């Protein structure tokens, strides 16, 4: 009886709170109101994927820091760092064969904190490749790829591929000797693509050798196409982490 009264009081408080609390728009984002009660506070947090990525019920063992080493979260953190530093770098860079090299030199020598900005971007790329790889090893080691997480494992593999492609497409942009020859060698390997053959290389670099078309094509892939694909796959990955349940302790 007391429980029933309590819950009625709770609903009354909740409705009163939502009226006072805010607009329909706000409520569509935050399902529960932040009443000063332990229950509503936890409901607010747990019902929001931005505040609580993991499913609400997880095994105790998976709460241990040593279970995930936070490697998935770190990969995401480095991705965000890359987006922010990359957008800032775009202010100083023109994807043209006559300007790109000079732009990077100016960034290193003239622009205030330009060297620092470039270093942040470059080191975050390395860090992301390492953390994504280690995260995959952790998933393998804990056998978290087993049902019902097979689909998320495949999404993860796609994320690994996109991470490597993001890395490779950025390599050409400084337009120096190292990047030119590395990408020449790299794109030559596409000539052996089954069925397409040399046409695959032509499609990728927009010609028969690395030049203006290739630079523009890599730039577009690097700053628009691949980051959007990565962001879409990450949303799917996170949604599946929540829906599939967390593997800890299995
Ligand atoms: C950009 C790359 C990636 C990001 C940002 C990312 C992020 C995350 C996060 C935040 C989690 C939950 C917490 C954790 O386990 O650390 C997770 C779980 C998971 N990830 Fe990734 N991940 C990425 C790449 C991969 C790769 C390459 C694979 C495997 C090929 C993978 C497979 C999985 C699986 C199966 C889970 C569920 C783990 C479990 O239930 O124990 N992910 N990921």
């Amino acid at each position: 009886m007391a429980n029933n009264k309590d819950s009625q009081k709770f609903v009354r408080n909740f409705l009163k709170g939502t009226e006072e609390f805010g607009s329909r728009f706000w409520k569509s984002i935050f399902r529960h109101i932040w009443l000063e009660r332990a229950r509503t506070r936890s409901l607010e947090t747990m019902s929001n994927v931005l505040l609580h990525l993991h499913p609400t019920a997880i095994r105790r063992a998976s709460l241990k820091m040593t279970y995930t080493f936070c490697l998935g979260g770190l990969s995401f953190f480095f991705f965000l760092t890359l987006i922010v530093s990359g957008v800032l770098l775009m202010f100083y860079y023109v994807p043209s064969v006559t300007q790109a090299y000079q732009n990077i030199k100016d960034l290193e020598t003239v622009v205030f904190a330009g060297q620092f900005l470039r270093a942040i971007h470059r080191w975050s790329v390395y860090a992301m490749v390492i953390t994504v790889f280690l995260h995959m090893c952790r998933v393998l080691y804990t056998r978290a790829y087993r049902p019902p997480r097979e689909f998320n494992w495949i999404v993860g593999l796609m994320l690994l591929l996109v991470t490597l492609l993001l890395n490779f497409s950025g390599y050409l942009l400084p337009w120096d000797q190292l990047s030119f020859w590395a990408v020449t060698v790299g794109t030559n390997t596409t000539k052996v693509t089954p069925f397409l053959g040399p046409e695959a290389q032509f499609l990728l670099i927009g010609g028969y050798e690395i030049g203006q078309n290739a630079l523009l094509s890599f730039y577009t892939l690097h700053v628009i196409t691949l980051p959007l694909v990565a962001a879409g796959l990450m949303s799917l990955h996170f949604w599946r982490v929540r829906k599939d349940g967390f593997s800890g302790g299995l």
Side-chain angles (χ1 to χ4, degrees):
M1 192 62 192
N3 271 349
N4 200 14
K5 269 192 178 161
D6 266 0
S7 61
Q8 279 174 4
K9 199 172 146 207
F10 173 72
V11 172
R12 260 202 315 277
N13 273 344
F14 177 73
L15 292 175
K16 195 167 150 243
T18 40
E19 276 161 25
E20 284 163 8
F21 190 62
S23 65
R24 212 167 144 182
F25 170 73
W26 183 257
K27 276 179 264 166
S28 70
I29 304 170
F30 297 100
R31 301 264 175 228
H32 302 277
I33 41 169
W34 189 270
L35 287 176
E36 273 310 307
R37 301 166 64 127
R39 185 180 146 81
T40 43
R41 279 205 306 270
S42 50
L43 274 174
E44 168 100 45
T45 308
M46 287 175 186
S47 65
N48 191 310
V49 76
L50 297 176
L51 302 176
H52 200 276
L53 171 69
H54 285 161
T56 40
I58 55 172
R59 289 181 175 78
R60 186 181 285 270
S62 64
L63 287 174
K64 276 193 189 158
M65 179 66 189
T66 48
Y67 185 72
T68 61
F69 290 99
C70 210
L71 288 164
L74 280 173
S75 310
F76 185 54
F77 168 76
F78 288 122
F79 177 70
L80 293 182
T81 313
L82 283 166
I83 297 288
V84 174
S85 54
V87 167
L88 292 177
L89 283 173
M90 283 172 79
F91 285 103
Y92 300 106
Y93 180 83
V94 180
S96 141
V97 290
T98 53
Q99 295 178 63
Y101 180 70
Q102 193 55 45
N103 285 169
I104 299 292
K105 285 217 115 181
D106 288 348
L107 188 75
E108 291 272 342
T109 51
V110 183
V111 175
F112 172 71
Q115 215 172 12
F116 177 68
L117 182 60
R118 193 177 173 209
I120 293 274
H121 198 70
R122 187 168 273 248
W123 284 98
S124 299
V125 173
Y126 300 149
M128 186 175 167
V129 172
I130 294 169
T131 50
V132 169
F133 179 74
L134 291 178
H135 170 60
M136 186 177 77
C137 294
R138 189 288 288 176
V139 172
L140 257 179
Y141 181 69
T142 56
R143 292 187 286 176
Y145 51 82
R146 290 187 301 180
R149 285 169 222 93
E150 324 88 304
F151 177 65
N152 215 12
W153 169 258
I154 302 292
V155 176
L157 285 181
M158 290 191 222
L159 274 170
L160 177 69
L161 181 70
V162 173
T163 306
L164 297 177
L165 288 177
L166 267 167
N167 201 341
F168 182 65
S169 57
Y171 212 83
L172 183 65
L173 306 188
W175 200 248
D176 53 19
Q177 285 294 313
L178 181 67
S179 63
F180 181 87
W181 291 110
V183 173
T184 303
V185 173
T187 51
N188 267 339
T189 58
T190 56
K191 279 186 186 159
V192 291
T193 310
F195 307 112
L196 284 176
E199 294 304 318
Q201 188 197 23
F202 187 88
L203 264 177
L204 185 63
I205 65 174
Y208 293 104
E209 56 184 31
I210 303 289
Q212 178 60 62
N213 284 353
L215 184 59
L216 203 56
S217 153
F218 272 56
Y219 179 73
T220 323
L221 278 173
H222 189 72
V223 305
I224 302 173
T225 320
L226 291 170
L228 281 181
V229 173
L233 285 172
M234 275 179 211
S235 313
L236 184 60
H237 194 60
F238 296 160
W239 176 66
R240 292 305 305 208
V241 169
R242 216 181 145 114
K243 288 286 161 193
D244 294 342
F246 201 57
S247 69
L250 281 179

